Amino acid sequence: MEEKILDILKRNLNSVDIDTSCSWDNCATWDSLHHLSICFDLEEEFNISIEPEEMGCIKCYNDILKLIKSK
Amino acid sequence: MTYVFRNNTIEPFFDESYVFSGYGDISAIPNAELYIWWYQLPYKYDFNQIVRELISYKEMLQYVSNKIHNELIVFSLVNQFTCSIETGNVGLINAIDEFNKVARDLSNLSNVKFIDFSEFTTLYGNQSLVDWKYYYTAQYPYSPKLIRPFKLWWKKKMCQISMSRKKCLVLDLDNTLWGGILGEDGVTNIKMSGDYPGKAFHYWQEGIKELQRNGVILAICSKNNISDVEEVWNKRDDILLHRDDFATIRINWKDKATNIREIASELNIGLDSMVFVDDNPVERELIRTTLPMVAVPDYPEHPYNLPLLYDKLVNDYFSVYKLTLDDVNKTYQYISNAQRIEESSKYDTFEDYLSSLNMHLKILPVSEITIPRAAQMTQKTNQFNLCTRRYTENDLRLLLDSNANMWTLSVSDRFGDNGVTGLIIVTNDGRIDTFLMSCRVLGRGLEYAFATYVLQQLKALGVDRVIGEYIPTAKNILVKNFWTQMHFRCVEEREDGSAKYYIDLSNETLQIKDYYSIN
């Protein structure tokens, strides 16, 4: 699961050096448009639905991991 | 840059290189090579209000198209609503039609192209077009599930617009063009009309004939006895594709890879512009592995599924935005080229042959009428192309404005008219910026006549010092030494293989062989 999340981040943020410390704050390409496409890829990959309220709360790798584990 | 006028969040549907207007904003029109207009119906329940907005979209589009001189691609509006309280009220439908009519009419302008977006949306039900979660959170007009299919569709659309389609369809005969095996079932028993399965093959041949009418070159590659096939052509009234419809045929017992290579070199086209259709999976596999550049679609197991194969041929390989008259005539030209090759063995010397052709060259300054063809040639010509500079119609207009000289070449001979097949662009400082010839007229020395004529013109205009360039690509090795053959002197050679050549016309006699008649 961890690998898949990182892959989605790398793919959407156009960067190969992304690790588990990646967040909205420290990644320049993580803007609101890319945020949406990350959400969509997570929904597809893990077959879940991310609610709009949750979309606003996943701002780093760890948030994402926590959210998906909770689903 | 490509600039997109939009009223919703559509960034995810395009590559990152596209630049987007504000939502519903036409106040700024930055300089771009290509503009796209892609508005969607506003998502509202009050249809009267939608109608009012559509009227304003129409006016905005008209305003924008007036301001733009480079290429503009306009998407049609599609009714994506899934409910309507008053189902007999046609107000909204009329407003959509009206907008689309304006967009279609604009496409009469040479720089505007119209795209019927329902082509894409009809592949999906209206219910699955929108994902309301993404509409409300980010104003995506369409579901993010459609991003990937949209990108593929868009790529294909752009290919159609730039005319980069396949050129030649190579067909097997037995159980491919007709039902049954000629050598076993006999001339009278192969099926291509009447009841099923003959009916399916009849319809299939009709489709192939239509491709040929639209400029696709046909060829046969079949393991058969040529005399048997000739008997089919002579005795079967129900065959729709006759010998004359094929630019070349390979009916023999050689392996098909060798045959296809021969077809490519005879027609002077690349293997990557060929599509091979054969019912035999072994033959398909042979071509896929030995000639991976050739497109090899699967053949349906049952003849009743031939329409699906035909759809695939059209959609994946042969569809274009619009064909020019030249494209349509091309098949006939390839056919007459094949006759020329057969003729060329009858003469003692090559010059005898050339002079027997009665070649007539028309070399004319580029005009508004020939600009589309000239731009198209810069986009498509790969082999005989000294610098391979790709231009749009508007690029050429700008060059003309900067006092560049441009000439096109048309050639006819006793086998037919080849249409516009050559282009030379000389900038106002005497640099030959572009020199290209369509490969279907090569092999007759026309390139030397054309270049010499243009040099004569330059000399008459008082230009003595002329620079020629060669920029190597994967495909233009053919012309590497062209300038030295034209008596230009190499003055600069760079590491990437590109080179500059120079000639002083005041010392040159500039003679053209007398078997070319010009203008």
Side-chain angles (χ1 to χ4, degrees):
Chain A
M1 180 194 291
E2 286 82 352
E3 266 314 300
K4 281 179 179 168
I5 297 174
L6 283 175
D7 279 347
I8 287 173
L9 289 175
K10 283 177 191 166
R11 187 165 69 229
N12 281 290
L13 301 173
N14 299 326
S15 168
V16 278
D17 12 274
I18 275 178
D19 56 28
T20 55
S21 73
C22 177
S23 80
W24 173 282
D25 294 319
N26 68 19
C27 178
T29 47
W30 195 335
D31 60 14
S32 54
L33 269 177
H34 290 111
H35 190 67
L36 260 297
S37 42
I38 291 169
C39 289
F40 174 68
D41 280 1
L42 291 170
E43 289 188 324
E44 292 280 289
E45 177 69 50
F46 298 105
N47 198 17
I48 54 171
S49 173
I50 302 177
E51 297 310 315
E53 296 77 8
E54 295 165 330
M55 284 181 179
C57 302
I58 43 173
K59 296 281 178 149
C60 65
Y61 169 84
N62 283 323
D63 293 344
I64 294 172
L65 188 63
K66 218 187 298 166
L67 176 80
I68 291 168
K69 280 186 173 158
S70 74
K71 290 277 178 181
Chain B
M1 143 171 121
T2 302
Y3 187 76
V4 189
F5 295 97
R6 53 79 182 259
N7 62 343
N8 279 304
T9 308
I10 51 170
E11 287 92 329
F13 290 80
F14 293 97
D15 290 343
E16 308 237 333
S17 63
Y18 288 67
V19 179
F20 297 85
S21 74
Y23 296 78
D25 178 12
I26 54 162
S27 60
I29 304 178
N31 262 330
E33 285 101 57
L34 172 66
Y35 298 90
I36 294 167
W37 177 282
W38 189 24
Y39 273 48
Q40 291 81 31
L41 251 61
Y43 289 90
K44 289 197 163 88
Y45 287 118
D46 180 350
F47 280 12
N48 289 328
Q49 207 184 330
I50 300 177
V51 168
R52 279 196 296 278
E53 287 205 30
L54 293 196
I55 293 171
S56 78
Y57 290 176
K58 194 175 71 189
E59 288 162 353
M60 287 157 73
L61 173 62
Q62 281 167 327
Y63 169 83
V64 163
S65 65
N66 264 325
K67 298 267 170 193
I68 288 175
H69 302 290
N70 283 349
E71 195 163 5
L72 168 66
I73 296 173
V74 182
F75 280 64
S76 71
L77 283 172
V78 176
N79 188 353
Q80 71 254 15
F81 285 98
T82 47
C83 67
S84 155
I85 297 172
E86 201 184 353
T87 54
N89 185 337
V90 291
L92 177 62
I93 299 172
N94 282 343
I96 294 172
D97 284 350
E98 224 167 281
F99 175 92
N100 288 339
K101 182 172 185 319
V102 166
R104 267 197 308 274
D105 287 350
L106 281 174
S107 73
N108 290 327
L109 299 172
S110 63
N111 65 323
V112 181
K113 298 199 162 63
F114 173 80
I115 285 188
D116 179 1
F117 188 52
S118 69
E119 223 178 82
F120 178 79
T121 55
T122 47
L123 301 174
Y124 308 91
N126 272 6
Q127 296 282 5
S128 56
L129 281 180
V130 186
D131 181 328
W132 291 105
K133 181 166 71 188
Y134 284 89
Y135 176 72
Y136 287 123
T137 52
Q139 212 177 318
Y140 280 23
Y142 298 115
S143 162
K145 282 200 171 66
L146 300 183
I147 289 175
R148 203 164 298 152
F150 175 86
K151 282 186 168 169
L152 287 173
W153 176 82
W154 178 242
K155 201 173 149 197
K156 226 186 280 173
K157 278 277 128 183
M158 292 303 274
C159 281
Q160 291 176 6
I161 285 173
S162 63
M163 285 288 305
S164 50
R165 67 165 177 175
K166 304 278 180 190
K167 291 179 179 153
C168 175
L169 176 61
V170 183
L171 292 154
D172 172 46
L173 294 175
D174 289 333
N175 279 322
T176 298
L177 197 64
W178 54 61
I181 297 168
L182 179 57
E184 292 174 13
D185 301 327
V187 174
T188 48
N189 293 322
I190 53 171
K191 295 181 173 62
M192 47 188 145
S193 64
D195 294 338
Y196 182 82
K199 201 176 223 171
F201 286 100
H202 184 83
Y203 188 44
W204 162 240
Q205 289 192 10
E206 247 180 56
I208 296 169
K209 181 94 193 169
E210 201 50 35
L211 286 174
Q212 191 249 13
R213 278 201 201 102
N214 284 286
V216 174
I217 305 160
L218 303 182
I220 294 175
C221 181
S222 164
K223 289 183 174 155
N224 250 312
N225 292 319
I226 178 76
S227 55
D228 293 348
V229 179
E230 276 166 353
E231 207 181 336
V232 173
W233 277 319
N234 289 330
K235 294 193 174 156
R236 292 286 297 248
D237 305 331
D238 53 350
I239 190 161
L240 296 178
L241 293 160
H242 296 273
R243 172 64 188 90
D244 293 354
D245 292 317
F246 297 93
T248 185
I249 56 174
R250 290 293 181 285
I251 297 171
N252 54 41
W253 302 93
K254 278 196 281 186
D255 78 276
K256 294 206 174 187
T258 307
N259 275 324
I260 288 177
R261 262 195 223 105
E262 276 182 27
I263 291 172
S265 81
E266 177 180 338
L267 298 176
N268 216 349
I269 59 178
L271 286 164
D272 57 359
S273 49
M274 304 179 93
V275 179
F276 174 61
V277 171
D278 195 312
D279 67 300
N280 184 342
V282 179
E283 301 289 5
R284 293 202 301 268
E285 195 49 32
L286 170 77
I287 301 306
R288 280 195 190 120
T289 48
T290 53
L291 305 174
M293 313 73 107
V294 176
V296 186
D298 281 334
Y299 194 88
E301 200 174 325
H302 305 286
Y304 56 73
N305 279 331
L306 277 169
L308 304 182
L309 171 61
Y310 187 73
D311 276 10
K312 188 179 165 61
L313 288 180
V314 172
N315 290 329
D316 290 2
Y317 308 123
F318 295 119
S319 58
V320 287
Y321 180 73
K322 244 182 211 166
L323 289 165
T324 63
L325 198 58
D326 254 12
D327 296 317
V328 179
N329 288 336
K330 200 180 285 170
T331 26
Y332 302 104
Q333 291 154 7
Y334 276 105
I335 291 170
S336 35
N337 260 341
Q339 288 173 12
R340 280 185 200 101
I341 289 173
E342 283 168 26
E343 289 254 335
S344 70
S345 49
K346 288 193 211 156
Y347 297 93
D348 289 343
T349 70
F350 188 60
E351 302 240 316
D352 284 349
Y353 160 69
L354 286 180
S355 82
S356 78
L357 285 174
N358 299 334
M359 283 178 280
H360 187 83
L361 288 69
K362 248 192 168 44
I363 301 172
L364 297 172
V366 169
S367 67
E368 195 50 40
I369 294 165
T370 48
I371 276 184
R373 172 64 185 154
Q376 190 192 46
M377 284 192 294
T378 71
Q379 297 287 343
K380 286 171 51 182
T381 310
N382 296 316
Q383 290 172 301
F384 195 103
N385 196 339
L386 274 301
C387 299
T388 321
R389 296 194 170 100
R390 310 293 191 193
Y391 291 123
T392 65
E393 292 174 26
N394 282 297
D395 294 335
L396 294 184
R397 290 192 187 99
L398 290 175
L399 276 164
L400 281 174
D401 286 345
S402 72
N403 292 323
N405 283 301
M406 295 185 200
W407 290 271
T408 53
L409 166 75
S410 324
V411 187
S412 56
D413 60 27
R414 64 190 170 93
F415 295 103
D417 189 342
N418 276 292
V420 177
T421 44
L423 174 71
I424 293 180
I425 300 175
V426 186
T427 57
N428 61 1
D429 53 355
R431 183 179 57 82
I432 301 180
D433 174 89
T434 294
F435 181 18
L436 61 84
M437 304 266 294
S438 165
C439 45
R440 63 180 197 256
V441 296
L442 294 183
R444 289 182 257 160
L446 291 161
E447 54 275 31
Y448 303 106
F450 184 25
T452 307
Y453 180 85
V454 163
L455 293 176
Q456 286 174 350
Q457 297 298 305
L458 290 172
K459 195 172 174 181
L461 289 168
V463 182
D464 277 341
R465 296 151 175 261
V466 177
I467 300 284
E469 285 174 278
Y470 168 70
I471 303 173
T473 67
K475 292 190 170 169
N476 73 349
I477 185 81
L478 170 72
V479 292
K480 189 173 190 293
N481 297 317
F482 181 78
W483 293 123
T484 35
Q485 286 158 1
M486 283 295 296
H487 303 134
F488 280 58
R489 191 161 47 84
C490 184
V491 289
E492 188 184 324
E493 212 168 349
R494 262 164 277 152
E495 244 170 48
D496 60 4
S498 64
K500 260 191 188 151
Y501 299 83
Y502 171 81
I503 195 168
D504 184 350
L505 295 180
S506 52
N507 307 322
E508 296 290 325
T509 46
L510 301 174
Q511 292 228 333
I512 299 175
K513 298 270 194 231
D514 53 13
Y515 43 75
Y516 302 105
S517 86
I518 297 184
N519 288 346

